Coordinates of all heavy atoms in Angstrom, one line a residue:
G516 N 2.6 4.4 -1.0 CA 2.3 5.4 -2.0 C 0.9 5.5 -2.4 O 0.5 6.3 -3.3
L517 N 0.0 4.7 -1.8 CA -1.4 4.8 -2.1 C -2.1 5.6 -1.0 O -2.3 5.2 0.1 CB -2.0 3.4 -2.1 CG -1.5 2.4 -3.1 CD1 -2.1 1.0 -3.0 CD2 -1.7 2.9 -4.5
G518 N -2.4 6.9 -1.3 CA -2.9 7.8 -0.4 C -4.3 7.4 0.1 O -4.7 7.8 1.2
H519 N -5.0 6.7 -0.6 CA -6.4 6.3 -0.2 C -6.4 5.1 0.7 O -7.5 4.7 1.2 CB -7.2 6.1 -1.5 CG -6.8 4.9 -2.3 ND1 -5.7 4.9 -3.1 CD2 -7.3 3.6 -2.3 CE1 -5.5 3.7 -3.6 NE2 -6.5 2.9 -3.2
V520 N -5.3 4.5 1.0 CA -5.2 3.4 1.9 C -4.7 3.9 3.3 O -3.6 4.5 3.3 CB -4.3 2.3 1.3 CG1 -4.1 1.1 2.3 CG2 -4.8 1.8 0.0
F521 N -5.4 3.6 4.3 CA -5.0 4.0 5.7 C -4.2 2.8 6.2 O -4.7 1.7 6.4 CB -6.3 4.2 6.5 CG -6.0 4.9 7.8 CD1 -5.8 6.3 7.8 CD2 -5.8 4.2 9.0 CE1 -5.6 7.0 9.0 CE2 -5.5 4.9 10.2 CZ -5.4 6.3 10.2
K522 N -2.9 3.1 6.5 CA -2.0 2.1 6.9 C -1.8 2.1 8.4 O -1.4 3.2 8.9 CB -0.7 2.2 6.1 CG -0.9 2.0 4.6 CD 0.2 2.5 3.8 CE 0.3 4.0 3.6 NZ -0.8 4.7 2.9
I523 N -2.0 1.0 9.1 CA -1.8 0.9 10.5 C -0.7 -0.1 10.9 O -0.7 -1.2 10.4 CB -3.2 0.5 11.2 CG1 -4.3 1.5 10.9 CG2 -3.0 0.3 12.7 CD1 -5.6 1.0 11.3
R524 N 0.2 0.3 11.8 CA 1.2 -0.6 12.3 C 0.9 -0.9 13.7 O 0.6 0.0 14.5 CB 2.6 0.1 12.1 CG 3.7 -0.7 12.8 CD 5.1 -0.1 12.6 NE 5.1 1.3 13.1 CZ 6.2 2.0 13.2 NH1 7.4 1.4 12.8 NH2 6.2 3.2 13.6
L525 N 1.0 -2.1 14.1 CA 0.8 -2.5 15.5 C 2.2 -2.9 16.1 O 2.9 -3.7 15.5 CB -0.1 -3.7 15.6 CG -1.5 -3.6 15.0 CD1 -2.3 -4.9 15.1 CD2 -2.2 -2.4 15.7
L526 N 2.5 -2.3 17.2 CA 3.8 -2.6 17.9 C 3.4 -3.0 19.3 O 2.3 -2.8 19.8 CB 4.6 -1.3 18.0 CG 5.1 -0.6 16.8 CD1 5.9 0.6 17.2 CD2 6.0 -1.6 16.0
C527 N 4.3 -3.7 19.9 CA 4.2 -4.1 21.3 C 5.5 -3.8 22.0 O 6.4 -4.6 22.0 CB 3.9 -5.6 21.4 SG 3.5 -6.2 23.1
M528 N 5.5 -2.6 22.5 CA 6.7 -2.0 23.1 C 6.5 -1.4 24.5 O 5.4 -0.9 24.8 CB 7.3 -1.0 22.2 CG 7.7 -1.5 20.8 SD 8.5 -0.3 19.8 CE 10.2 -0.6 20.4
E529 N 7.5 -1.5 25.3 CA 7.5 -0.8 26.6 C 8.8 -0.1 26.8 O 9.9 -0.7 26.6 CB 7.3 -1.8 27.7 CG 7.2 -1.1 29.1 CD 7.0 -2.1 30.2 OE1 7.6 -3.1 30.2 OE2 6.2 -1.7 31.1
N530 N 8.8 1.2 27.0 CA 10.0 2.0 27.2 C 11.0 1.8 26.0 O 12.2 1.7 26.2 CB 10.7 1.6 28.5 CG 9.8 1.9 29.7 OD1 9.1 2.8 29.8 ND2 9.9 1.0 30.7
G531 N 10.4 1.8 24.8 CA 11.2 1.7 23.6 C 11.8 0.3 23.3 O 12.5 0.1 22.4
E532 N 11.4 -0.7 24.1 CA 11.9 -2.0 23.9 C 10.8 -3.0 23.4 O 9.7 -3.0 23.9 CB 12.4 -2.6 25.2 CG 12.9 -4.0 25.2 CD 13.4 -4.5 26.5 OE1 13.9 -3.7 27.3 OE2 13.2 -5.7 26.8
D533 N 11.1 -3.7 22.3 CA 10.1 -4.7 21.8 C 9.8 -5.7 22.8 O 10.7 -6.3 23.4 CB 10.7 -5.3 20.5 CG 9.8 -6.3 19.9 OD1 8.6 -6.3 20.1 OD2 10.3 -7.2 19.1
K534 N 8.6 -5.9 23.1 CA 8.1 -7.0 24.0 C 7.8 -8.2 23.3 O 6.6 -8.7 23.2 CB 7.0 -6.5 24.9 CG 7.3 -5.2 25.6 CD 8.5 -5.3 26.5 CE 8.3 -6.0 27.8 NZ 9.4 -6.1 28.6
K535 N 8.8 -8.8 22.7 CA 8.6 -10.0 21.9 C 8.0 -11.2 22.6 O 7.1 -11.9 22.1 CB 10.0 -10.5 21.3 CG 9.9 -11.4 20.2 CD 11.3 -11.6 19.5 CE 11.6 -10.3 18.8 NZ 12.7 -10.4 17.9
E536 N 8.3 -11.3 23.9 CA 7.7 -12.4 24.7 C 6.2 -12.2 24.9 O 5.4 -13.2 24.9 CB 8.4 -12.5 26.1 CG 8.1 -11.4 27.0 CD 9.0 -10.1 26.9 OE1 9.8 -10.1 25.9 OE2 8.8 -9.2 27.6
V537 N 5.7 -11.0 24.9 CA 4.3 -10.7 25.0 C 3.6 -11.1 23.6 O 2.6 -11.7 23.6 CB 4.0 -9.2 25.3 CG1 2.5 -8.9 25.2 CG2 4.5 -8.9 26.7
R538 N 4.3 -10.7 22.5 CA 3.7 -11.1 21.2 C 3.7 -12.6 21.0 O 2.7 -13.1 20.5 CB 4.6 -10.4 20.1 CG 4.5 -8.9 20.1 CD 5.2 -8.3 18.9 NE 6.6 -8.5 18.9 CZ 7.2 -9.0 17.9 NH1 6.6 -9.5 16.8 NH2 8.6 -9.1 17.9
I539 N 4.7 -13.3 21.5 CA 4.8 -14.7 21.4 C 3.7 -15.4 22.2 O 3.0 -16.3 21.7 CB 6.2 -15.3 21.8 CG1 7.2 -14.8 20.7 CG2 6.2 -16.8 22.0 CD1 8.6 -15.0 21.1
D540 N 3.5 -14.9 23.4 CA 2.4 -15.4 24.3 C 1.0 -15.2 23.6 O 0.2 -16.1 23.6 CB 2.4 -14.7 25.6 CG 1.3 -15.2 26.6 OD1 1.4 -16.4 26.9 OD2 0.5 -14.4 26.9
R541 N 0.8 -14.0 23.0 CA -0.5 -13.7 22.4 C -0.7 -14.7 21.2 O -1.8 -15.2 21.0 CB -0.5 -12.3 21.9 CG -0.6 -11.3 23.0 CD -0.6 -9.9 22.5 NE -0.7 -8.9 23.6 CZ -0.5 -7.6 23.5 NH1 -0.1 -7.1 22.3 NH2 -0.7 -6.8 24.5
V542 N 0.3 -14.9 20.4 CA 0.2 -15.9 19.2 C -0.1 -17.3 19.7 O -0.9 -18.0 19.2 CB 1.4 -15.8 18.3 CG1 1.4 -16.9 17.3 CG2 1.5 -14.5 17.6
S543 N 0.6 -17.7 20.8 CA 0.4 -19.0 21.4 C -1.0 -19.2 21.8 O -1.7 -20.2 21.5 CB 1.3 -19.2 22.6 OG 1.1 -20.4 23.3
R544 N -1.6 -18.2 22.5 CA -3.0 -18.3 23.0 C -4.0 -18.3 21.8 O -4.9 -19.1 21.8 CB -3.3 -17.2 24.0 CG -2.6 -17.3 25.3 CD -2.9 -16.1 26.1 NE -2.0 -15.9 27.2 CZ -2.4 -15.6 28.4 NH1 -3.7 -15.5 28.7 NH2 -1.5 -15.5 29.4
R545 N -3.7 -17.3 20.9 CA -4.7 -17.2 19.8 C -4.7 -18.4 18.9 O -5.8 -18.8 18.5 CB -4.3 -15.9 19.0 CG -5.2 -15.6 17.8 CD -4.6 -14.6 16.9 NE -3.5 -15.2 16.2 CZ -2.5 -14.5 15.6 NH1 -2.4 -13.2 15.8 NH2 -1.5 -15.1 15.0
D546 N -3.6 -19.0 18.6 CA -3.5 -20.0 17.6 C -3.4 -21.4 18.3 O -3.3 -22.4 17.5 CB -2.3 -19.8 16.7 CG -2.4 -18.5 15.9 OD1 -3.6 -18.0 15.8 OD2 -1.4 -18.1 15.3
G547 N -3.4 -21.5 19.6 CA -3.4 -22.8 20.3 C -2.0 -23.5 20.1 O -2.0 -24.7 19.9
L548 N -0.9 -22.7 20.1 CA 0.4 -23.3 19.9 C 1.1 -23.3 21.2 O 0.8 -22.6 22.1 CB 1.2 -22.4 18.9 CG 0.6 -22.2 17.5 CD1 1.4 -21.2 16.7 CD2 0.5 -23.5 16.7
T549 N 2.2 -24.2 21.2 CA 3.1 -24.1 22.4 C 3.9 -22.8 22.3 O 3.9 -22.2 21.2 CB 4.1 -25.3 22.4 OG1 4.9 -25.2 21.3 CG2 3.3 -26.6 22.3
M550 N 4.5 -22.4 23.4 CA 5.3 -21.2 23.3 C 6.4 -21.3 22.3 O 6.7 -20.4 21.6 CB 5.8 -20.9 24.7 CG 4.7 -20.4 25.7 SD 4.0 -18.9 25.2 CE 5.2 -17.7 25.7
E551 N 7.0 -22.5 22.2 CA 8.1 -22.7 21.3 C 7.6 -22.6 19.8 O 8.3 -22.0 19.0 CB 8.8 -24.1 21.5 CG 10.1 -24.2 20.8 CD 11.1 -23.1 21.1 OE1 11.3 -22.7 22.2 OE2 11.8 -22.7 20.1
Q552 N 6.5 -23.2 19.6 CA 5.9 -23.1 18.2 C 5.6 -21.6 17.9 O 5.9 -21.2 16.7 CB 4.6 -23.9 18.1 CG 4.9 -25.4 18.1 CD 3.6 -26.2 18.3 OE1 2.7 -25.8 19.0 NE2 3.5 -27.3 17.6
A553 N 5.0 -20.9 18.8 CA 4.6 -19.5 18.6 C 5.9 -18.7 18.4 O 5.9 -17.8 17.5 CB 3.8 -19.0 19.8
K554 N 6.9 -19.0 19.2 CA 8.2 -18.2 19.0 C 8.8 -18.4 17.6 O 9.2 -17.5 17.0 CB 9.2 -18.6 20.1 CG 10.5 -17.9 20.0 CD 11.4 -18.4 21.1 CE 12.8 -17.7 21.1 NZ 13.7 -18.1 22.1
E555 N 8.8 -19.7 17.2 CA 9.3 -20.0 15.9 C 8.5 -19.2 14.8 O 9.0 -18.7 13.9 CB 9.2 -21.5 15.6 CG 9.8 -21.9 14.3 CD 9.8 -23.5 14.2 OE1 10.2 -24.1 15.2 OE2 9.4 -23.9 13.2
R556 N 7.2 -19.3 14.9 CA 6.3 -18.6 13.9 C 6.5 -17.1 13.9 O 6.6 -16.5 12.8 CB 4.8 -18.9 14.2 CG 3.9 -18.3 13.2 CD 2.5 -18.6 13.4 NE 2.2 -20.0 13.1 CZ 1.1 -20.6 13.2 NH1 0.0 -20.0 13.7 NH2 0.9 -21.9 12.8
V557 N 6.6 -16.5 15.1 CA 6.8 -15.0 15.2 C 8.1 -14.6 14.6 O 8.2 -13.7 13.8 CB 6.6 -14.5 16.6 CG1 7.1 -13.1 16.8 CG2 5.2 -14.6 17.1
L558 N 9.2 -15.3 15.0 CA 10.5 -14.9 14.5 C 10.6 -15.2 13.0 O 11.2 -14.4 12.3 CB 11.6 -15.7 15.3 CG 11.6 -15.4 16.8 CD1 12.7 -16.2 17.4 CD2 11.9 -13.9 17.0
E559 N 10.1 -16.3 12.5 CA 10.1 -16.6 11.1 C 9.4 -15.5 10.3 O 9.9 -15.0 9.3 CB 9.5 -18.0 10.8 CG 9.6 -18.4 9.4 CD 9.0 -19.8 9.2 OE1 9.3 -20.7 10.0 OE2 8.3 -20.0 8.2
R560 N 8.2 -15.2 10.7 CA 7.4 -14.2 10.0 C 8.0 -12.9 10.0 O 8.1 -12.2 9.0 CB 6.0 -14.1 10.6 CG 5.1 -13.1 9.9 CD 3.7 -13.1 10.4 NE 2.9 -12.1 9.7 CZ 1.7 -11.8 10.1 NH1 1.1 -12.4 11.1 NH2 1.0 -10.9 9.4
E561 N 8.6 -12.5 11.1 CA 9.2 -11.2 11.2 C 10.4 -11.1 10.3 O 10.6 -10.1 9.6 CB 9.7 -11.0 12.7 CG 10.0 -9.6 13.1 CD 10.3 -9.5 14.6 OE1 11.4 -9.7 15.0 OE2 9.3 -9.2 15.3
G562 N 11.2 -12.2 10.3 CA 12.4 -12.2 9.4 C 12.0 -12.1 7.9 O 12.7 -11.4 7.1
E563 N 11.0 -12.9 7.6 CA 10.5 -12.9 6.2 C 10.0 -11.5 5.8 O 10.3 -11.0 4.7 CB 9.4 -13.9 6.0 CG 9.9 -15.4 6.0 CD 8.8 -16.4 6.0 OE1 7.6 -16.0 6.1 OE2 9.1 -17.6 5.9
N564 N 9.3 -10.9 6.7 CA 8.7 -9.5 6.4 C 9.9 -8.5 6.2 O 9.8 -7.7 5.2 CB 7.8 -9.1 7.5 CG 6.5 -9.7 7.4 OD1 6.1 -10.3 6.4 ND2 5.7 -9.7 8.5
I565 N 10.8 -8.5 7.1 CA 12.0 -7.6 6.9 C 12.7 -7.8 5.6 O 13.0 -6.9 4.9 CB 12.9 -7.7 8.2 CG1 12.2 -7.2 9.4 CG2 14.2 -7.0 7.9 CD1 12.9 -7.4 10.7
E566 N 13.0 -9.1 5.3 CA 13.7 -9.4 4.1 C 13.0 -9.0 2.9 O 13.5 -8.3 2.0 CB 14.0 -10.9 4.0 CG 14.7 -11.4 2.8 CD 14.9 -12.9 2.8 OE1 15.2 -13.5 3.8 OE2 14.7 -13.5 1.7
K567 N 11.7 -9.3 2.8 CA 10.8 -8.9 1.7 C 10.8 -7.4 1.5 O 10.9 -6.9 0.4 CB 9.4 -9.5 1.8 CG 8.5 -9.1 0.7 CD 7.1 -9.8 0.8 CE 6.3 -9.2 1.9 NZ 5.0 -9.7 2.0
Y568 N 10.5 -6.7 2.6 CA 10.3 -5.2 2.5 C 11.7 -4.6 2.1 O 11.7 -3.6 1.3 CB 9.8 -4.6 3.8 CG 8.3 -4.6 3.9 CD1 7.6 -5.8 4.0 CD2 7.6 -3.4 3.8 CE1 6.2 -5.7 4.1 CE2 6.2 -3.4 3.8 CZ 5.5 -4.5 4.0 OH 4.2 -4.5 4.1
K569 N 12.8 -5.1 2.6 CA 14.1 -4.5 2.2 C 14.4 -4.8 0.8 O 14.9 -3.9 0.1 CB 15.2 -5.0 3.1 CG 15.2 -4.4 4.5 CD 16.4 -4.8 5.3 CE 16.4 -4.1 6.6 NZ 17.6 -4.4 7.4
R570 N 14.0 -6.0 0.3 CA 14.3 -6.3 -1.1 C 13.4 -5.5 -2.0 O 13.8 -5.0 -3.0 CB 14.0 -7.8 -1.3 CG 14.4 -8.3 -2.7 CD 14.1 -9.8 -2.9 NE 12.7 -10.1 -2.9 CZ 12.1 -10.8 -1.9 NH1 12.7 -11.2 -0.8 NH2 10.8 -11.0 -2.0
V571 N 12.1 -5.4 -1.7 CA 11.1 -4.8 -2.6 C 11.1 -3.3 -2.5 O 11.1 -2.5 -3.5 CB 9.7 -5.4 -2.4 CG1 8.7 -4.6 -3.2 CG2 9.7 -6.8 -2.7
Y572 N 11.1 -2.8 -1.2 CA 11.0 -1.3 -1.0 C 12.2 -0.6 -0.4 O 12.2 0.6 -0.4 CB 9.8 -1.1 0.0 CG 8.5 -1.7 -0.5 CD1 7.9 -2.8 0.2 CD2 7.8 -1.2 -1.5 CE1 6.7 -3.4 -0.2 CE2 6.6 -1.7 -2.0 CZ 6.1 -2.8 -1.3 OH 4.9 -3.4 -1.7
G573 N 13.2 -1.4 0.0 CA 14.4 -0.8 0.6 C 14.2 -0.2 2.0 O 15.0 0.7 2.4
V574 N 13.2 -0.7 2.7 CA 12.9 -0.2 4.1 C 12.6 -1.4 5.0 O 12.3 -2.5 4.6 CB 11.7 0.8 4.1 CG1 12.0 2.0 3.3 CG2 10.5 0.1 3.6
N575 N 12.7 -1.1 6.3 CA 12.3 -2.1 7.3 C 11.0 -1.7 7.8 O 10.8 -0.6 8.4 CB 13.4 -2.1 8.5 CG 13.0 -3.1 9.5 OD1 11.9 -3.5 9.7 ND2 14.1 -3.5 10.2

Side-chain angles (χ1 to χ4, degrees):
L517 300 176
H519 65 283
V520 176
F521 195 83
K522 297 163 284 295
I523 301 173
R524 172 176 57 173
L525 302 177
L526 298 177
C527 184
M528 300 186 83
E529 182 181 42
N530 300 322
E532 180 182 326
D533 180 20
K534 301 308 281 183
K535 198 168 287 192
E536 68 277 1
V537 173
R538 294 189 295 122
I539 291 167
D540 180 62
R541 289 175 177 170
V542 169
S543 173
R544 291 176 196 228
R545 182 192 71 205
D546 296 346
L548 302 173
T549 67
M550 288 297 282
E551 191 56 41
Q552 290 169 321
K554 180 179 181 180
E555 185 177 311
R556 181 176 288 178
V557 166
L558 297 179
E559 182 179 318
R560 181 176 179 188
E561 196 172 89
E563 288 172 354
N564 285 343
I565 290 170
E566 181 183 317
K567 178 176 71 175
Y568 272 71
K569 283 187 175 181
R570 184 180 70 250
V571 175
Y572 303 111
V574 297
N575 182 333

